[in-house]
Amino acid sequence: MTIGIRSRGRLFATWLLASSFGAASVAFAASAPAPQDPGPVAPEGFRFERLEDAIKIEPGVRIEVLNLFGDVRARYGGRDDVLGLLSIAQQFADEGPEVEVVHRQDGDTLRIEVGVREREGAALHTVPEPGQRKRADLVLFVPDGRALGVRTGDGLVQLRGLRSDATARSASGDMQVRSIRGSLDLASDSGDLVVILESLGLDAEQRFAVGSGELQLHLREDGDYAVEARARGRIRTEYSLEVGPTGRDGARTARAVLGDGTTPVRIDAGVGLLRLLRKPSAEVARMAPEDDA
Amino acid sequence: MSRRPGTAWARVAALFALLATVPASAEAPLWSAKAKKPCSLVLELPAGDLELRRKRGDAQVVAEPGQWTVDAVAENDALHMRVAIAEGHAAGDASPVRLELPRHCALAVRGGTGRIDIHGRHAAPLEVETTTGEIVLWAESGADLRVDLATSGEMGTDYSIAIEHRHHREPDKHGVVVLGTGDIAARLASRRGPVSVLARERANGH
């Protein structure tokens, strides 16, 4: 089942580009009223297309998103067997074929891809041409238990509140991930990665990697993790660490065990900065003196 | 800090034989003295960055002439020194102050918001405090240090570190890094700034 709502029109380029649009801001964009203070005006010929879809998705079906044209944000989408998909595609009218967001079921996988076609009926090209200015940002509302896979180029990956496993890969995009009730496997070649990791008692390995960006991992101080990190760059920590000797490649291994160490956490921080940070327990936060609250 | 009269300066002379105080060029020290054993220096640096280097020979403060002022008095068997930004200059614009001190001299630094880098081999206790300024101790290979760290910020390390959390206190963390025999005590404390013990041989890339 697919329910599509399309709207097309002009909006202010800077608003679209600067907005960290969530559902609310997307909804705001839909009406596109003439504001009192329009701010910067979009260049002549600039256009955008906003698309909303509700896609039926059976339990056990995995979602794979390929978007090398922009950002991907995912939020918890409830218990119904429906994936919510919002997209905003934007480009200049003289830039040739429109950027498209398509989805198709491929066995046990629902694939959502962003790309362009040279002509109607031609294959979708998912890799942007160098120098092109087309862009498409996606927001997904992921129902309970549907594993999510995301791949971006330089676009942001932002995952919040999902109740499912998630993997993400990016060439140079940043990742911001928090409150995920499932396993995580995240890697960005040159982007930064910020993760607030829940303590769920999972025995599946949680994997995080960056090449040259900063990897910032927040761990609950009342959690149960066994962290093993490999780093060639600097390490900053709020937890005790056992640091091994430096290898020939300049890398060393750092280990930390929190609580009973139930959940293995594997980190490859490349040459970037690794920060292991403390997320205070609810009890500690509750006991905070008033002047510190 | 105002200078104390005659008797205080006599005690300074007992600890450090004053050589020269007049800068002649950018490389000339703002302050210089011969450090005898034992010697102890308390350095107050409310703003600006500091680089400590352990060197044989004279104790000296090297800085861009005109940007900094140095006042020193002897007090309780230690030389107390205040290094401050000269009038008309801002801490953010000033080049770092370099303190060169023999390794047998105990040192206590009371810093502020500036960064403090500590180099060289230490054969006497070392104590460095800041409010929010970053502190980095660059440990030489084969160092015999026990480094106590305290901050509510982050702790950087190239070595194993034991960290204890102190909820609702500031600083809210205490860390210990032991290098070699741990014979020489070093204490690095900041209220909120990052505090690090890094390996000198890994300095490239830091």
Side-chain angles (χ1 to χ4, degrees), chain B residues 136-150:
Chain B
V136 182
L137 188 154
W138 297 95
E140 300 285 335
S141 61
D144 293 318
L145 291 170
R146 176 197 156 95
V147 188
D148 283 87
L149 306 94

Side-chain angles (χ1 to χ4, degrees), chain B:
Chain B
M1 184 181 292
S2 61
R3 295 189 177 190
R4 306 279 172 91
T7 53
W9 280 105
R11 295 175 67 188
V12 173
L15 294 166
F16 295 80
L18 198 61
L19 294 180
T21 58
V22 181
S25 70
E27 282 303 306
L30 286 182
W31 175 92
S32 180
K34 195 166 287 295
K36 295 180 178 178
K37 290 184 182 179
C39 68
S40 179
L41 175 65
V42 178
L43 174 69
E44 191 183 339
L45 184 81
D49 299 342
L50 173 72
E51 186 182 304
L52 166 67
R53 293 198 176 270
R54 294 292 192 175
K55 280 195 169 179
R56 287 182 180 159
D58 299 341
Q60 54 186 22
V61 174
V62 180
E64 194 71 32
Q67 289 185 346
W68 298 90
T69 62
V70 179
D71 289 299
V73 295
E75 199 173 77
N76 300 329
D77 297 328
L79 183 72
H80 289 249
M81 178 183 290
R82 179 182 169 88
V83 179
I85 299 283
E87 222 170 284
H89 291 271
D93 303 332
S95 54
V97 172
R98 188 168 82 236
L99 171 65
E100 296 175 356
L101 199 64
R103 65 178 64 169
H104 66 266
C105 284
L107 174 66
V109 179
R110 315 275 182 247
T113 56
R115 175 185 167 115
I116 298 178
D117 282 279
I118 304 153
H119 299 271
R121 291 193 178 279
H122 310 276
L126 173 70
E127 193 180 307
V128 179
E129 292 177 4
T130 66
T131 51
T132 57
E134 179 169 4
I135 306 171
V136 182
L137 188 154
W138 297 95
E140 300 285 335
S141 61
D144 293 318
L145 291 170
R146 176 197 156 95
V147 188
D148 283 87
L149 306 94
T151 182
S152 294
E154 296 167 25
M155 294 181 179
T157 185
D158 281 330
Y159 306 97
S160 295
I161 184 170
I163 296 178
E164 175 196 349
H165 294 154
R166 299 166 165 178
H167 295 303
H168 312 313
R169 289 171 63 181
E170 187 154 272
D172 68 0
K173 284 181 297 298
H174 173 234
V176 177
V177 173
V178 178
L179 305 177
T181 62
D183 284 346
I184 306 298
R187 180 173 171 272
L188 314 178
S190 177
R191 281 173 62 187
R192 304 218 172 157
V195 175
S196 301
V197 184
L198 303 178
R200 181 78 188 103
E201 70 258 24
R202 291 182 62 87
N204 290 341
H206 285 296

Side-chain angles (χ1 to χ4, degrees), chain A residues 24-174:
Chain A
S25 54
V26 169
F28 171 75
S31 55
Q36 294 296 316
D37 176 12
V41 177
E44 190 66 29
F46 178 82
R47 69 188 186 203
F48 82 99
E49 183 179 51
R50 178 178 175 277
L51 175 70
E52 295 180 17
D53 269 348
I55 305 164
K56 178 79 174 173
I57 180 168
E58 298 295 339
V61 172
R62 178 180 175 79
I63 303 159
E64 285 289 344
V65 180
L66 173 61
N67 182 10
L68 305 183
F69 287 79
D71 301 343
V72 176
R73 292 168 170 81
R75 304 286 188 271
Y76 176 58
R79 295 180 177 173
D80 293 338
D81 296 336
V82 175
L83 170 74
L85 173 62
L86 303 176
S87 67
I88 289 185
Q90 52 189 304
Q91 66 182 87
F92 286 87
D94 60 357
E95 275 199 299
E98 288 184 10
V99 61
E100 293 180 41
V101 180
V102 300
H103 60 84
R104 62 188 160 86
Q105 182 112 11
D106 181 8
D108 286 342
T109 303
L110 173 68
R111 297 191 185 281
I112 298 169
E113 296 179 342
V114 178
V116 293
R117 300 179 200 276
E118 287 304 316
R119 60 185 181 283
E120 199 165 326
L124 190 73
H125 289 278
T126 56
V127 180
E129 294 292 329
Q132 63 90 46
R133 293 173 294 176
K134 296 170 186 173
R135 181 177 181 89
D137 298 312
L138 307 180
V139 182
L140 290 85
F141 294 89
V142 179
D144 250 340
R146 279 26 170 235
L148 174 67
V150 175
R151 190 177 153 213
T152 68
D154 59 3
L156 173 75
V157 177
Q158 190 185 73
L159 312 177
R160 288 184 185 168
L162 304 181
R163 298 186 184 178
S164 52
D165 298 343
T167 64
R169 297 288 182 272
S170 183
S172 57
D174 295 341

